[in-house]
Amino acid sequence: MIKEKIRINLKTKIYSDMPYITIDGNKYEFINGETVIQVAHRNSIDIPNFCWHPGLSISGNCRICLVEIEKLPKLAIACSTLAEEGMVVHTKSEKTIEAQNAVMEFLLINHPLDCPICDEAGECKLQDYAYRYGVGESRFDEEKSKKDKRIPLGPNVMFDQERCISCSRCIRYCEEIAKSPQLTFVNRGEKVTIETFPSKELDNPYSMNVIEICPVGALTSRDFRFRARVWDMSFTNSICPGCARGCNTIIGVRNNEILRIEPRENTEVNDWWLCDWGRLNTYKYVNNKDLRIQSPQMRMDIQTKGKTDLIEVEWDEAESKAASILLSVPPDEILFIASPFATMEDNYVLKKTAIEIFRSNDIYYMPFIDTNFGDDILKQNDRTPNSNGLKLLGIKEVDDYVLNKLTNKRYKLFYIIKDDLTRTGIPIEILSEVENSIQHLVVKNNFYNYAKIIFPHSAYAEVNGTFINFKNRIQRLRPAVATLDKERLLGDFSLSRLDKFGAPNDRWTHGLKIDARPSWKIMKLLAKALGYNFAFENSEEVFIEMSESIPSLRGLDYEKIGDRGIQLKL
């Protein structure tokens, strides 16, 4: 017995006395307290499941995870059966397969044939399991049970009672994760369904997570509903820019337009969840042609500043004029404003421009702390995605020194990337007295009309780059939508089937493409106009140069950061 418990790992040559179970003929170590499905999940063994979720408590009511365990008189559900030393589990035995077929037949008895109109089609567990574990026919000759359809549970979630398989994931999620128990079962039995409590709505800051954890199409997004088929979309791993946590996300795109944002699992950052604000308020401006700055703009007559008389110009003309303005002002009278909303790469090149070309240390950023926004789940009071990144770059917050110089009109030129100078709290009447400002903007803001030169800045979903979150974890952005000046690093840009194979006369190949660029590229061209050469050609080369000057980033590159990010040791 002792020899059986002491096993050798052939790769590492380390002896282990951890307990093990056998699944389908292979032995796997486990930690006391783990269930069979947890051991299987950790070792990439597929046991079908509907009600089980790694982030929720166990309910054990769908029964599709039945497995055969030797020496037990009947099949056991893997989600609630604790692993025991020497246990032998069969997930593909004849008994197990028969049970899976029976469960699928039972679940499909009353399920409507809504696949052609269901938003979940193409990523639905019930569809997948019906193909893999169903028998392909039904013995049920009676009329299906009819339940209500299109029930708005709250402002963001629509419910279809007929599709619900009563897995209780949504109920457990609201109670355990969102800390807002707004759902419950009613009419238990044949007519069972879920409802909100009387006079209540499913309306909490994390309500839309029930859409992902619903294994069928019973809970759908009212924002995304009927907008696209998932097989016609591309999906890009990204980071939410809504606050300092930097939740991992998946951006869904069709026709170069973002249609939805979903959470991406990362237990080091956001587990499996994403707040509703991050889903609904961080992408719609990206494709909004009325809000976006779509091309470089210039004000020809400085006497008319404050009026909307900016004209569109070519990039070369805007760069040349910006260089001329910068050379006309003493360097100690230029205020450089970095942005906690912009990437590490953009802010690094701004600092490089200020120090190497203008010998200026007047480079600051404006924090954005909102004590009404944060909570104890995911949302942070710091509503910027990269404040810690700016601190790592040595860029300081706007302080009394800067505010006094602004109030006393000591600056003659503002150079601002991706921010609004009115956030300093200085009255617009004072700020507007400065004759020149050069701004890199994604969308129009309160200080937009006071710019002399405006460069269209790429949105976060259009660039390669990095953010550093409040825990000092560096994470990657990838471009999900293309600009006219698209940058594609190898393997970093995905296209949907329609975008990839559409012909010029197809309507879905004419999505909006903004003539925008990341700040690092704008400033590289500006440096060239000023007689300097910044020796990088893409964002990763900017990152590598930056990492060589910052000890905690040394040795990193985009590949090493990967999809899950890296915790920095500061």
Side-chain angles (χ1 to χ4, degrees):
M1 288 295 293
I2 295 176
K3 289 183 179 179
E4 288 179 1
K5 288 186 178 181
I6 299 178
R7 298 178 302 283
I8 301 177
N9 185 314
L10 296 178
K11 291 184 179 180
T12 62
K13 302 296 183 182
I14 295 176
Y15 288 86
S16 171
D17 60 354
M18 288 182 65
Y20 71 90
I21 66 171
T22 301
I23 303 178
D24 294 334
N26 297 311
K27 293 181 178 180
Y28 301 97
E29 294 179 343
F30 69 90
I31 301 168
N32 286 327
E34 281 190 306
T35 61
V36 172
I37 202 169
Q38 287 176 317
V39 179
H41 180 72
R42 182 162 46 79
N43 289 283
S44 302
I45 300 168
D46 186 26
I47 295 179
N49 62 87
F50 287 115
C51 66
W52 179 78
H53 187 281
L56 301 176
S57 63
I58 296 168
S59 66
N61 57 355
C62 76
R63 321 308 285 183
I64 192 68
C65 67
L66 284 165
V67 293
E68 183 178 5
I69 299 176
E70 291 185 7
K71 298 181 182 180
L72 290 188
K74 58 181 181 180
L75 299 180
I77 52 174
C79 66
S80 66
T81 302
L82 292 176
E84 295 182 2
E85 172 72 27
M87 181 181 281
V88 179
V89 180
H90 300 283
T91 70
K92 297 180 175 62
S93 67
E94 185 177 343
K95 273 187 174 182
T96 303
I97 292 172
E98 286 179 0
Q100 291 166 346
N101 293 342
V103 171
M104 283 306 305
E105 184 180 11
F106 174 76
L107 291 175
L108 293 172
I109 279 176
N110 286 308
H111 197 81
L113 296 176
D114 279 354
C115 300
I117 61 168
C118 180
D119 277 339
E120 194 76 4
E123 50 188 6
C124 174
K125 271 193 172 186
L126 197 66
Q127 278 186 331
D128 295 340
Y129 288 173
Y131 177 77
R132 291 170 58 186
Y133 304 109
V135 294
E137 61 183 28
S138 175
R139 294 172 292 173
F140 188 71
D141 296 328
E142 309 301 324
E143 187 175 346
K144 287 180 180 287
S145 176
K146 301 297 183 183
K147 296 181 181 178
D148 292 336
K149 304 180 77 69
R150 296 178 297 279
I151 302 171
L153 289 183
N156 299 319
V157 181
M158 188 73 76
F159 178 46
D160 190 309
Q161 288 183 349
E162 287 185 340
R163 300 175 190 167
C164 180
I165 62 170
S166 303
C167 70
S168 80
R169 277 185 173 188
C170 56
I171 297 173
R172 285 176 284 145
Y173 166 79
C174 287
E175 183 173 351
E176 298 166 9
I177 307 300
K179 306 293 192 299
S180 182
Q182 296 169 326
L183 294 173
T184 187
F185 279 132
V186 296
N187 302 326
R188 287 183 181 263
E190 182 187 2
K191 302 295 184 181
V192 65
T193 186
I194 60 171
E195 286 184 1
T196 55
F197 291 97
S199 73
K200 300 291 184 181
E201 284 189 316
L202 178 59
D203 186 14
N204 63 67
Y206 298 89
S207 66
M208 296 183 73
N209 287 304
V210 301
I211 296 165
E212 274 81 43
I213 63 175
C214 179
V216 294
L219 298 170
T220 54
S221 166
R222 298 179 70 176
D223 179 68
F224 176 72
R225 192 173 169 85
F226 300 137
R227 295 188 68 187
R229 286 306 204 176
V230 294
W231 51 82
D232 288 335
M233 299 168 65
S234 63
F235 298 96
T236 304
N237 291 344
S238 188
I239 304 299
C240 175
C243 77
R245 181 169 291 276
C247 291
N248 289 214
T249 61
I250 302 171
I251 301 177
V253 173
R254 189 189 66 174
N255 196 21
N256 208 49
E257 178 185 3
I258 300 175
L259 298 182
R260 74 178 186 190
I261 306 288
E262 297 176 289
R264 176 164 53 91
E265 178 188 347
N266 189 336
T267 54
E268 299 297 324
V269 182
N270 58 300
D271 291 328
W272 300 266
W273 323 120
L274 180 65
C275 74
D276 291 0
W277 197 95
R279 288 174 186 267
L280 300 176
N281 295 280
T282 60
Y283 79 89
K284 293 181 181 179
Y285 71 88
V286 174
N287 297 103
N288 190 325
K289 62 182 180 182
D290 296 323
L291 292 178
R292 290 292 301 270
I293 309 296
Q294 297 194 48
S295 61
Q297 299 179 24
M298 181 189 303
R299 191 180 308 282
M300 303 304 293
D301 180 6
I302 63 172
Q303 300 303 317
T304 61
K305 63 180 180 295
K307 298 181 181 179
T308 55
D309 59 351
L310 290 159
I311 63 170
E312 295 186 355
V313 295
E314 296 297 324
W315 280 94
D316 289 347
E317 184 178 358
E319 295 278 4
S320 176
K321 184 64 175 178
S324 175
I325 293 171
L326 285 164
L327 290 173
S328 69
V329 177
D332 62 351
E333 295 181 350
I334 302 174
L335 174 63
F336 294 91
I337 296 292
S339 174
F341 302 99
T343 63
M344 290 286 289
E345 291 77 359
D346 289 338
N347 285 293
Y348 169 77
V349 178
L350 177 67
K351 182 179 179 181
K352 181 182 177 76
T353 300
I355 292 176
E356 294 187 8
I357 298 179
F358 297 96
R359 303 295 187 267
S360 172
N361 285 312
D362 270 353
I363 173 169
Y364 296 86
Y365 78 95
M366 296 174 285
F368 182 14
I369 305 299
D370 182 356
T371 56
N372 295 319
F373 183 77
D375 58 32
D376 60 353
I377 302 176
L378 294 179
K379 296 161 70 176
Q380 298 295 302
N381 290 334
D382 182 355
R383 299 189 65 171
T384 69
N386 198 31
S387 289
N388 277 19
L390 270 65
K391 293 172 185 175
L392 189 64
L393 287 170
I395 298 174
K396 303 181 289 282
E397 294 183 16
V398 167
D399 54 19
D400 290 340
Y401 166 79
V402 177
L403 296 176
N404 287 334
K405 288 188 71 172
L406 286 170
T407 302
N408 295 321
K409 305 174 186 177
R410 300 274 299 280
Y411 291 113
K412 302 302 180 187
L413 188 153
F414 302 137
Y415 195 104
I416 309 166
I417 70 169
K418 205 175 180 181
D419 215 331
D420 182 350
L421 196 59
T422 61
R423 292 204 303 113
T424 58
I426 303 296
I428 191 70
E429 294 79 16
I430 294 175
L431 296 176
S432 63
E433 289 300 313
V434 174
E435 292 184 355
N436 294 305
S437 73
I438 300 170
Q439 303 182 38
H440 300 193
L441 296 178
V442 179
V443 296
K444 301 171 184 177
N445 61 28
N446 295 326
F447 202 58
Y448 159 81
N449 285 328
Y450 299 94
K452 188 66 182 291
I453 303 288
I454 292 178
F455 292 110
H457 192 295
S458 300
Y460 79 98
E462 297 167 340
V463 298
N464 285 289
T466 50
F467 287 152
I468 296 178
N469 76 355
F470 78 109
K471 289 185 176 179
N472 293 313
R473 188 178 190 85
I474 188 167
Q475 302 185 97
R476 276 205 60 190
L477 294 170
R478 290 179 171 81
V481 295
T483 60
L484 291 179
D485 183 68
K486 54 198 170 194
E487 178 198 22
R488 299 187 182 182
L489 298 179
L490 184 63
D492 276 346
F493 199 97
S494 60
L495 286 173
S496 70
R497 180 175 64 93
L498 293 181
D499 292 329
K500 187 180 297 184
F501 299 112
N505 59 326
D506 290 329
R507 58 183 170 83
W508 57 80
T509 60
H510 302 287
L512 177 68
K513 290 185 180 179
I514 305 294
D515 189 13
R517 299 176 182 178
S519 278
W520 69 261
K521 183 173 287 189
I522 297 170
M523 288 180 286
K524 171 184 166 67
L525 296 174
L526 184 58
K528 185 176 181 180
L530 293 167
Y532 291 80
N533 180 36
F534 289 172
F536 34 71
E537 298 299 326
N538 57 56
S539 58
E540 187 165 25
E541 291 184 10
V542 177
F543 180 84
I544 291 172
E545 180 182 310
M546 174 177 64
S547 65
E548 290 172 352
S549 63
I550 301 175
S552 56
L553 298 181
R554 198 161 293 151
L556 294 182
D557 56 29
Y558 283 177
E559 184 178 359
K560 290 179 181 177
I561 294 171
D563 286 335
R564 300 180 66 84
I566 290 179
Q567 185 65 45
L568 300 179
K569 297 178 181 179
L570 302 183

